[in-house]
């Protein structure tokens, strides 16, 4: 689970409670202790409340060590609850909001320690917490775990005489692919080899609906690759080839919703947002249709224009990004329709949406989104083509992109980009330009480079240079330029010349060589699918820059794979 947060970690297990917590990465920990236990709890943290210290790492305990808690989310009323608990004499060992949960359970627990009573206590405590939280409360002496969720993800893995509760499926894929997706305001109780699902509002027992997921443990492993990032970059040709065959029924259904809507809006965050932005160009170009776009974290400030006739298309790899989910909740408040474009089956977004299109990319574990990005672009191409009456053409485009991606990843470009990364590793700034549908490509390329190599990189629309940006160009400043064989070609080349005449070092990404390029990265010409193949050299450059600079490409500082807080 380290990809979801890696500043500190902790494990708790055994009847006599072994509790080990450390700041740093669990992958660097080695074996901590070995002893048989029937139940246990582990956590990797991405700090929200309280610094990155051993004391603040989860799990947290009550005053007695009878209650052990791990938590995902933010307890919004934690200070108020903490004050009351301190007045009652509870002593806190950390600065986290999470520890409040352990002491609250302790303060409500009676003397009997019966399981039914403990379940009720945890349920009551959970209902006192404000915010979007998933909590796991482990009672070591009872060998039981009681968990509840609202807004933060939780899945139950059903193995052979064993159960797993986690925030994401890859946590237990080596043991089982049988999953129960827990809904908001539901809880799970694990005791003596059994799992029970209950309603958080009225304690009623609910049926366990076990589903099998298609992801395999191997897909979630590194295999022959040194890092997940390069593994996932290399998987793109296969993913795209699969998407070229996307079921017609699903594409048609969503295209119909777009056609019938009075206003279609795309929303997403980060890399996923760049795919949504690219969609606005694809829909204009291929479908002659106006669609709107706003990033998830800004969407609520625009929600007032939504109506029951509006359609919101939310794109997310994880399906758990809080800002994207909040945008979707806003749309739901206005009774608008919601379509989700998601990789993680069963994720929160898929459960809120009226219709889901799954990306089927397999697990994406590197913090940087790569294959999920090009997969989203592929699905948007299919949708835009369908709206133009030509799904067949869309399929051809995606198949062409799959072939192009394969050629690119199997050809000389990989070695050349590696060499280029060696030359650029000392750069302080790097600028990227593109126009039209490759303007979002420029933004995405810059994001990939900065988040993993920590080199300052900015993407711009080529035409904007003369409005101020060009002041940044100095002798030798590296600039990546995306030149597709489309109507933007001449204008973006002339922007490249403007940069070059001010001393910029031009890295051209294009099917054709041009005299303005100092370095040419050749990409196959895949027509309107150019943003798909253009993203790949940027991903590779970001990866090799991180490697050259001695950084961990899979776990950039301060980031986590799923951003489940606002
Ligand atoms: C960047 C990256 C992030 C995510 C963003 C949204 O490489 O991975 O910008 O794209 O946090 O995540 P999802 O797609 O899970 O909603």
């Amino acid at each position: 689970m380290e990809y979801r947060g890696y500043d500190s970690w902790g494990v708790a297990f055994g009847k006599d409670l072994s509790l080990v917590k450390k700041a740093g990465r669990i992958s660097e920990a080695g074996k901590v202790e070995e002893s048989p236990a029937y139940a246990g709890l582990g956590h990797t943290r991405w700090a929200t409340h309280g610094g990155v210290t051993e004391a603040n790492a989860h799990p947290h305990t009550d005053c007695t060590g009878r209650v052990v808690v791990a938590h995902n989310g933010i307890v919004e009323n934690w200070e108020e609850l903490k004050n009351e608990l301190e007045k009652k004499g509870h002593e806190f060992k950390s600065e986290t909001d999470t520890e409040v949960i352990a002491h609250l359970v302790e303060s409500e627990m009676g003397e009997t320690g019966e399981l039914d009573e403990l379940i009720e206590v945890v349920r009551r405590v959970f209902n006192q917490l404000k915010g979007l939280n998933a909590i796991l409360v482990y009672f070591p002496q009872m060998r039981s775990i009681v968990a509840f969720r609202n807004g933060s993800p939780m899945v139950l893995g059903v193995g052979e005489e064993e159960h797993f509760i986690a925030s994401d499926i890859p946590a237990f894929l080596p043991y089982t692919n049988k999953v129960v997706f827990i809904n908001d305001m539901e809880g799970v109780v694990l005791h003596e080899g059994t799992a029970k699902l209950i309603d958080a509002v009225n304690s009623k027992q609910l049926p366990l609906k076990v589903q099998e997921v298609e992801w395999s443990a191997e897909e979630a492993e590194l295999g022959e690759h040194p890092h997940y990032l390069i593994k996932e970059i290399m998987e793109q040709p296969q993913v795209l080839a699969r998407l070229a065959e996307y079921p017609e029924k699903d594409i048609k259904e969503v295209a119909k919703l777009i056609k019938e809507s009075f206003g279609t809006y795309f929303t997403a965050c980060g890399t996923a947002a760049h795919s949504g932005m690219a969609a606005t160009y694809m829909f204009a170009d291929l479908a002659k249709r106006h669609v709107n776009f706003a990033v998830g974290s800004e969407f609520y400030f625009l929600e007032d224009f939504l109506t029951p006739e509006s359609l919101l298309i939310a794109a997310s790899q994880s399906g758990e990004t809080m800002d994207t989910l909040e945008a979707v909740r806003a749309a739901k408040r206005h009774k608008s329709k919601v379509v989700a474009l998601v990789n993680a089956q069963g994720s929160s977004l898929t459960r809120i949406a009226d219709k889901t299109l799954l990306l089927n990319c397999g697990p994406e574990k590197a913090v940087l989104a790569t294959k999920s990005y090009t997969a989203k672009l592929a699905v948007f191409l299919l949708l835009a083509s369908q709206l133009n009456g030509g799904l067949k053409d869309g399929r051809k485009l995606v198949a062409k992109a799959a072939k192009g991606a394969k050629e690119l990843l199997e050809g000389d470009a990989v070695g050349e980009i590696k060499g280029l990364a060696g030359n650029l590793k000392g750069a302080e700034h790097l600028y990227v330009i593109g126009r039209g549908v490759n303007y979002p490509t420029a933004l995405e390329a810059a994001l990939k480079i900065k988040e993993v190599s920590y080199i300052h990189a900015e993407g711009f629309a080529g035409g904007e240079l003369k409005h101020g940006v060009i002041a940044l160009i100095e002798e030798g400043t590296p600039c990546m330029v995306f030149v597709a064989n489309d109507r933007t070609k001449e204008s973006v080349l002339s922007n490249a010349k403007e940069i070059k005449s001010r001393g910029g070092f031009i890295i051209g990404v294009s099917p054709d060589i041009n005299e303005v390029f100092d370095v040419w990265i050749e990409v196959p010409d895949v027509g309107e699918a150019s943003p798909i193949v253009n993203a790949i050299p940027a991903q590779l450059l970001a990866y090799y820059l991180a490697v050259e600079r001695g950084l961990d490409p899979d776990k950039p500082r301060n980031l986590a794979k799923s951003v489940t807080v606002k």
Side-chain angles (χ1 to χ4, degrees):
M1 295 305 289
E2 198 179 34
Y3 63 95
R4 295 186 71 104
Y6 36 83
D7 53 42
S8 50
W9 59 270
V11 289
F13 56 93
K15 219 170 168 189
D16 301 323
L17 188 61
S18 298
L19 178 65
V20 185
K21 308 208 279 187
K22 292 269 184 303
R25 297 174 174 195
I26 193 165
S27 53
E28 288 161 9
K31 194 181 273 184
V32 286
E33 197 180 315
E34 198 175 276
S35 64
Y38 284 93
L41 201 63
H43 187 266
T44 63
R45 177 168 187 247
W46 186 76
T48 58
H49 288 63
V52 180
T53 63
E54 199 169 301
N56 288 339
H58 299 210
H60 291 282
T61 52
D62 68 330
C63 300
T64 64
R66 286 189 303 160
V67 185
V68 186
V69 174
H71 161 229
N72 182 12
I74 294 172
V75 179
E76 289 171 5
N77 54 337
W78 71 287
E79 279 175 311
E80 188 186 318
L81 294 168
K82 186 172 175 175
N83 285 341
E84 283 170 28
L85 287 159
E86 276 178 334
K87 274 188 216 145
K88 287 189 198 158
H90 289 264
E91 281 179 24
F92 282 76
K93 300 175 281 296
S94 77
E95 302 150 338
T96 63
D97 52 339
T98 305
E99 197 184 339
V100 162
I101 303 166
H103 293 279
L104 264 181
V105 172
E106 179 193 359
S107 75
E108 300 225 357
M109 253 162 83
E111 288 306 310
T112 64
E114 294 289 328
L115 182 63
D116 285 343
E117 183 214 308
L118 296 178
I119 298 169
E120 255 322 278
V121 168
V122 178
R123 192 184 68 81
R124 278 202 309 272
V125 165
F126 175 70
N127 285 317
Q128 285 177 50
L129 309 177
K130 292 207 175 116
L132 301 171
N133 295 294
I135 67 167
L136 271 88
V137 183
Y138 167 41
F139 297 99
Q141 286 151 10
M142 297 288 298
R143 298 165 167 178
S144 309
I145 295 176
V146 184
F148 283 96
R149 72 158 276 183
N150 181 31
S152 282
M154 187 181 286
V155 280
L156 169 69
V158 182
E160 297 282 332
E161 295 179 30
E162 57 185 353
H163 292 92
F164 308 87
I165 303 175
S167 46
D168 207 354
I169 296 168
F172 50 71
L173 262 186
Y175 309 99
T176 183
N177 66 346
K178 294 198 178 75
V179 179
V180 179
F181 296 106
I182 313 297
N183 288 311
D184 280 344
M185 297 308 286
E186 287 179 1
V188 187
V189 180
L190 301 188
H191 182 67
E192 304 270 320
T194 63
K196 189 165 90 167
L197 188 68
I198 52 172
D199 190 310
V201 179
N202 55 22
S203 324
K204 277 204 183 122
Q205 192 165 342
L206 301 165
L208 275 180
K209 287 187 203 130
V210 183
Q211 300 182 31
E212 281 194 23
V213 289
E214 281 171 22
W215 290 1
S216 68
E218 294 75 53
E219 271 185 297
E221 298 300 326
L222 269 178
E224 71 206 27
H225 298 284
H227 301 105
Y228 284 106
L229 182 55
I230 191 71
K231 170 186 179 258
E232 289 159 10
I233 291 173
M234 292 295 175
E235 281 170 355
Q236 290 175 106
Q238 274 162 272
V239 172
L240 292 163
R242 204 156 56 216
L243 288 170
E245 305 298 320
Y246 209 94
E248 185 171 351
K249 183 178 147 285
D250 291 320
I251 297 293
K252 278 192 166 160
E253 196 180 323
V254 175
K256 187 163 174 273
L257 286 172
I258 297 173
K259 217 170 182 170
E260 287 170 357
S261 74
F262 188 72
T264 298
Y265 305 90
F266 284 83
T267 196
C269 294
T271 289
H274 297 147
S275 76
M277 197 172 169
T280 61
Y281 289 93
M282 289 174 180
F283 276 68
D285 187 26
L286 295 173
K288 316 294 170 220
R289 208 175 166 93
H290 172 231
V291 291
N292 299 279
F293 165 76
V295 289
S297 54
E298 285 294 310
F299 196 83
Y300 353 89
F301 308 120
L302 296 168
E303 69 170 283
D304 295 336
F305 57 53
L306 292 170
T307 72
E309 279 74 47
S310 313
L311 172 68
L312 180 67
I313 301 189
S316 172
Q317 188 285 129
S318 61
E320 301 294 350
T321 300
M322 192 55 77
D323 286 320
T324 307
L325 288 172
E326 286 291 290
V328 166
R329 290 187 185 112
K332 285 275 162 183
R333 277 197 294 279
H334 292 269
K335 304 200 167 20
S336 310
K337 281 233 154 50
V338 173
V339 170
L341 187 58
V342 179
N343 192 35
Q345 193 188 336
S347 54
S348 302
L349 188 50
T350 63
R351 258 135 350 111
I352 310 176
D354 300 295
K355 167 80 191 164
T356 295
L357 293 177
L358 283 176
L359 292 171
N360 297 326
C361 303
E364 191 179 67
K365 283 189 130 182
V367 164
L368 272 71
T370 52
K371 57 178 178 171
S372 65
Y373 175 65
T374 46
K376 285 177 196 127
L377 294 176
V379 176
F380 288 143
L381 270 178
L382 295 177
L383 284 170
S385 307
Q386 170 64 31
L387 279 165
N388 202 19
L391 181 57
K392 251 194 194 159
D393 294 343
R395 290 198 196 283
K396 273 192 207 146
L397 269 179
V398 176
K400 208 168 170 185
K403 196 162 159 271
K406 190 165 188 289
E407 269 169 46
L408 187 62
L409 289 165
E410 287 175 1
D412 298 337
V414 180
E416 285 162 18
I417 294 169
K418 200 170 173 180
L420 179 65
N423 295 336
L424 294 180
K425 69 175 180 213
E428 254 184 85
H429 308 282
L430 193 149
Y431 299 107
V432 194
I433 62 164
R435 298 192 76 151
V437 73
N438 281 298
Y439 164 40
T441 311
L443 299 180
E444 172 58 9
L447 176 59
K448 287 284 93 88
I449 291 166
K450 68 185 143 194
E451 67 181 334
V452 75
S453 73
Y454 316 148
I455 293 173
H456 169 234
E458 291 294 325
F460 301 104
E464 286 299 293
L465 292 175
K466 54 190 177 295
H467 300 294
V469 181
I470 207 154
L472 296 167
I473 308 300
E474 293 174 357
E475 194 59 42
T477 307
C479 297
M480 201 167 187
V481 182
F482 291 104
V483 188
N485 258 334
D486 60 17
R487 61 182 158 153
T488 65
K489 183 171 179 174
E490 291 315 315
S491 44
V492 81
L493 278 171
S494 94
N495 300 144
K497 284 177 195 145
E498 289 159 13
I499 296 175
K500 188 154 176 141
S501 56
R502 284 152 183 93
F505 176 82
I506 308 292
I507 304 153
V509 179
S510 175
D512 305 315
I513 194 160
N514 192 280
E515 59 188 12
V516 74
F517 300 157
D518 293 295
V519 169
W520 174 39
I521 300 172
E522 186 180 0
V523 289
D525 189 348
V526 293
E528 286 96 337
S530 66
I532 296 181
V533 290
N534 282 349
I536 297 173
Q539 297 167 349
L540 288 167
L541 183 60
Y543 172 71
Y544 287 117
L545 279 171
V547 173
E548 286 288 341
R549 287 163 68 93
L551 302 166
D552 181 345
D554 286 339
K555 298 184 189 75
R557 68 183 175 210
N558 305 337
L559 293 174
K561 182 72 181 159
S562 304
V563 188
T564 52
V565 290
K566 266 203 254 180

